[in-house]
Amino acid sequence: MTLWDLKQGTSATVQSFVSSLESSYRTRLSELGFHPGENISCVLSPSLGAPKLYRVNNSVYSLDDSVASLIKIGSQVGSQVGSPIGKSE
Amino acid sequence: MSKTILIGSPNSGKSLLFNRLTGLNQKVANFPGVTVDINSGKSLAHPDNKFFDFPGAYSLQTISGEEKIAVEAFYAALQDPQTSSVICVVDVTRLEKGLIFALQVINACAEQQKPLIIAANMIDVLNQHSLKMDVTGLEKALQVPVIAVSAKSGAGLEELQDKAISHTELPCAYSSDIIASDESVTHRQAQQLAADYGPKGDLLINAQTRLDEFFLHSWFGGISFLVIMYLLFQSIFTWAAPVMDGVESSLQFMAELILPLLPAGVVSDFTADALFGGIGAFLVFVPQIFVLTLVVGMLEDSGYLARAAVICHKPLRVFGLTGKSFIPMLSSVACAIPGIYAARTVDSPRKRWLTYLAIPLMPCSARLPVYSLLIAAFIPATNMFGGLIGWQGLAMFGIYVFGIVCGLLVTALVSKTNKDLQSDLPFVLEMPPYRLPSWRPLLRNAWSRSKHFVTKAGKVIFLVTVVIWLLGYFPNQGAALGESWLGQMGQWIEPIFSPFGLDWKYGVAILTSFLAREVFVGTLGTLFGIEGGEENIISLAEHIQNSGLPVGAGFALLVFFSIALQCVSTLAVLRRETGSWRLPTQLFISYSIFAYAAAWLTFVIVEAIV
């Protein structure tokens, strides 16, 4: 399963990168927070194949299928109806 | 003189801070990667200290050529004995990401034994939402001075400047606890520090997500994008119109006041034809440049442009581009030069190269006076729905769309036929938070852009206008334009432009516009001024209407100007960015041929219909 398969309002942990991903870009994704062990949630998944929005800590990034499908994730964790990125304090 | 380096992640508010500290007017926007050059300026509070604003970087480990240049320049500046301190700007609303970079900077400063200050920026945003961060705790953990600042409100800047100037009192030795050689350790440290001392809660990001759910919605997102873009172009006419009328009336008033005081003859004719007719015709369009720059700046500052890039990504990919190409393309609507610089934010070399092909076809503000003039001459000024929709605004929207479509078709064609064109990188774009635009820097930027437009283009227009007037006025003292030196020269070039219904006057104006597009308006203004005699103060659009120019020729001119690359500055900047004259030369020749052929075709089709 890859990050691109993650449904809106769910989260999962990054496991690894597909080997075809260039090492420099792997480093950059890690620096942005997409590193193995990190929990990522899908904030928004627009239709028609548009890039999806993913939340890593307090930042939101837009990734298209060409890169999100190169990040392997574990199983998805629960749907958070109404507030896909967690509740505010 | 001592030097202070300003460095930070993209969109951390670094350039706004730089402007505050130096009183300069560097371009700022709510979009990552706006600063592309190293800018410097003297400190307002301590003139013997100079600040250097470096382009934002996600990391000191680079993945592209441009990043490498910026990071190497940072390391070189660190080694400079004059560099007395470094300020690392961190956006406190996205603390962890900023700290990953700050920890790398601490590492670099430790190696060179340079003092570092962390500017915890955007503290005003936390205050607005009653959120807190533990600045003292973070300072103790990092063992580096941390100062809470707001580049927007100016809070904390005095303390920051004083700290930067008192660099001898700052520590140059760093705790081994915070210096990590391993990337994953840096990551864990940043995560822990952000969790321990950063603001708690998801209030900010939840608000951002609610707006994203609307602006990136499958339907509402697309509709709101089209509405915003339409209003942008409509505003150029409706908002600027009263000021344009004011400028025109003022020029008329001045002409009526000054001309009777001048002795009849050469001086009076020159003032009427070249100054009021030529330069005056160009000045009328400056309010439109101001409005256009202001509205594009508003969109940039609000954070909406990054969402527009996401919306456009899928459609632009069809044409070989990326959503990131949208920002340079939209910037080019104001001017191709900042558009070419903004293309540096397109990290994929292949897509950046394709973006360069599209930029000269974007409807830049230099085309605006030409479009406005021709539309005013050929399209009725009737409005619907209380001025919300007007035929002239629709025509402007149409010609803008035409330029954009041409740009996209060119990139699609080149992308499909040249698969091995440079290396590619995937699409990852950080979504900046939504913000209310800061009016003061926006107005200042629009004013400086308009001023730049007048002073830079104005010089060329003045010179061309004087030459055109002299050639058109002599040897018969303006008695018959067709028999003047210019008239005789014009007859030679008339065959080039006659296939699309233009006489020699338009031919001369087109040739002079290859210096800069706006010169077209000034040249025509001067020529009609000489020809018009007593009636040289009437508007240029009326002169064109009275000249009997066929409708097909008017449309052909619009098409010609929307394609041809008549801008020396664009060619020079493209050469600088690509490192050779190859691309600018290819674009100049191919777009000139394309423009000529498309204009001829337009003339034939329109004349067959009307």
Side-chain angles (χ1 to χ4, degrees), chain A residues 24-25 28 30-31 35 38 43-44 47-49 51 55 57-58 60-62 64-65 67 85-87, chain B residues 59 61 63 67 94 96-97 183 187 191 202 205-206 209 216 218 313-314 317 426-429 431:
Chain A
S24 61
Y25 223 77
R28 175 53 44 87
S30 293
E31 283 165 348
H35 55 86
E38 188 64 57
V43 177
L44 206 67
S47 57
L48 305 170
R55 181 188 172 182
N57 302 307
N58 259 348
V60 177
Y61 297 94
S62 172
D64 75 352
D65 54 343
V67 62
I85 54 166
K87 50 181 192 173
Chain B
S59 167
Q61 290 175 288
I63 62 163
E67 279 186 2
R94 291 167 293 161
E96 184 186 325
K97 188 179 63 104
E183 179 200 317
H187 236 281
Q191 211 163 26
D202 294 328
I205 212 147
N206 279 349
T209 305
L216 294 175
S218 304
H313 178 68
K314 197 79 196 291
R317 216 160 74 161
F427 179 81
V428 178
L429 179 64
M431 294 287 102

Side-chain angles (χ1 to χ4, degrees), chain A residues 44, chain B residues 207-225 227-228 304 307 311 434:
Chain A
L44 206 67
Chain B
Q208 180 178 327
T209 305
R210 276 193 290 277
L211 286 169
D212 278 340
E213 280 170 356
F214 176 79
F215 284 115
L216 294 175
H217 187 272
S218 304
W219 288 105
F220 301 129
I223 293 167
S224 55
F225 173 78
V227 169
I228 289 170
Y304 178 74
R307 277 74 191 180
I311 291 172
Y434 289 96

Side-chain angles (χ1 to χ4, degrees), chain B residues 367 369-379 395 399 402 497-503 506 510 520 524 541 544-545 547-563 595 598-607 610:
Chain B
R367 287 178 165 113
V370 182
Y371 291 167
S372 301
L373 177 68
L374 294 170
I375 287 171
F378 289 101
I379 309 289
I399 194 67
F402 176 78
F497 299 102
S498 58
F500 43 98
L502 300 175
D503 68 20
Y506 293 93
I510 289 175
F520 177 81
L524 272 190
I544 291 175
Q545 284 166 348
S547 75
L549 186 75
V551 181
F555 278 83
L557 267 176
L558 278 173
V559 168
F560 183 86
F561 270 87
S562 65
I563 299 170
W600 174 76
L601 198 65
T602 307
F603 176 73
V604 172
I605 293 170
V606 175
E607 285 301 299
V610 294

Side-chain angles (χ1 to χ4, degrees), chain B residues 222-237 288 292 330 333 361-363 368 371-372 375 379 388-405 558 562:
Chain B
I223 293 167
S224 55
F225 173 78
L226 288 176
V227 169
I228 289 170
M229 289 303 124
Y230 177 73
L231 288 176
L232 166 71
F233 297 118
Q234 194 68 36
S235 68
I236 297 169
F237 260 103
Q288 288 186 322
L292 180 69
L330 187 71
V333 170
L361 293 166
M362 294 301 108
L368 193 58
Y371 291 167
S372 301
I375 287 171
I379 309 289
L388 192 66
I389 296 176
W391 285 112
Q392 292 191 336
L394 271 176
M396 183 63 90
F397 186 64
I399 194 67
Y400 269 51
V401 169
F402 176 78
I404 294 164
V405 168
L558 278 173
S562 65

Side-chain angles (χ1 to χ4, degrees), chain B residues 10-340:
Chain B
N11 207 32
S12 56
K14 203 168 34 60
S15 296
L16 189 57
L17 184 66
F18 172 80
N19 287 347
R20 280 270 186 184
L21 295 170
T22 60
L24 294 176
N25 187 24
Q26 216 46 250
K27 180 174 167 58
V28 291
N30 186 11
F31 189 83
V34 170
T35 309
V36 289
D37 280 318
I38 300 163
N39 302 303
S40 64
K42 279 184 186 173
S43 163
L44 274 181
H46 307 279
D48 51 342
N49 187 42
K50 209 169 183 181
F51 287 103
F52 286 79
D53 180 22
F54 276 68
Y58 284 110
S59 167
L60 293 180
Q61 290 175 288
T62 57
I63 62 163
S64 70
E66 285 73 28
E67 279 186 2
K68 202 173 168 194
I69 294 167
V71 169
E72 280 177 359
F74 169 65
Y75 278 116
L78 269 187
Q79 286 169 1
D80 183 347
Q82 281 190 302
T83 301
S84 57
S85 57
V86 177
I87 295 176
C88 181
V89 186
V90 170
D91 172 2
V92 291
T93 64
R94 291 167 293 161
L95 192 59
E96 184 186 325
K97 188 179 63 104
L99 283 175
I100 293 173
F101 182 65
L103 287 168
Q104 291 181 348
V105 175
I106 288 175
N107 214 339
C109 289
E111 279 171 19
Q112 298 299 325
Q113 298 198 319
K114 292 286 182 189
L116 171 75
I117 306 160
I118 306 261
N121 193 21
M122 304 199 193
I123 206 77
D124 56 315
V125 181
L126 294 192
N127 294 339
Q128 262 170 26
H129 294 85
S130 308
L131 294 169
K132 297 258 177 280
M133 75 167 280
D134 182 0
V135 175
T136 321
L138 184 63
E139 187 170 272
K140 276 185 187 157
L142 290 172
Q143 297 180 30
V144 164
V146 179
I147 298 166
V149 300
S150 165
K152 194 175 177 183
S153 72
L157 296 194
E158 205 174 319
E159 191 188 350
L160 183 70
Q161 299 212 66
D162 291 347
K163 199 68 116 181
I165 206 72
S166 60
H167 50 87
T168 46
E169 297 159 24
L170 293 170
C172 290
Y174 296 85
S175 162
S176 56
D177 296 345
I178 55 160
I179 299 172
S181 53
D182 184 55
E183 179 200 317
S184 60
V185 176
T186 306
H187 236 281
R188 278 200 299 277
Q189 282 177 329
Q191 211 163 26
Q192 195 57 51
L193 288 166
D196 291 346
Y197 308 109
K200 309 285 186 292
D202 294 328
L203 198 66
L204 293 173
I205 212 147
N206 279 349
Q208 180 178 327
T209 305
R210 276 193 290 277
L211 286 169
D212 278 340
E213 280 170 356
F214 176 79
F215 284 115
L216 294 175
H217 187 272
S218 304
W219 288 105
F220 301 129
I223 293 167
S224 55
F225 173 78
L226 288 176
V227 169
I228 289 170
M229 289 303 124
Y230 177 73
L231 288 176
L232 166 71
F233 297 118
Q234 194 68 36
S235 68
I236 297 169
F237 260 103
T238 48
W239 296 2
V243 191
M244 289 173 74
D245 290 345
V247 174
E248 198 166 10
S249 309
S250 309
L251 285 168
Q252 267 183 6
F253 176 73
M254 280 166 65
E256 283 161 13
L257 201 73
I258 294 169
L259 290 176
L261 303 176
L262 299 172
V266 178
V267 176
S268 171
D269 288 347
F270 175 78
T271 311
D273 307 336
L275 296 185
F276 286 107
I279 299 163
F282 153 77
L283 285 177
V284 169
F285 298 101
V286 176
Q288 288 186 322
I289 313 290
F290 183 87
V291 170
L292 180 69
T293 317
L294 187 70
V295 179
V296 171
M298 260 163 59
L299 289 176
E300 277 182 343
D301 218 27
S302 67
Y304 178 74
L305 279 194
R307 277 74 191 180
V310 173
I311 291 172
C312 293
H313 178 68
K314 197 79 196 291
L316 285 178
R317 216 160 74 161
V318 176
F319 300 97
L321 296 164
T322 160
K324 291 183 187 180
S325 307
F326 176 75
I327 314 297
M329 284 162 75
L330 187 71
S331 299
S332 305
V333 170
C335 176
I337 313 295
I340 295 166

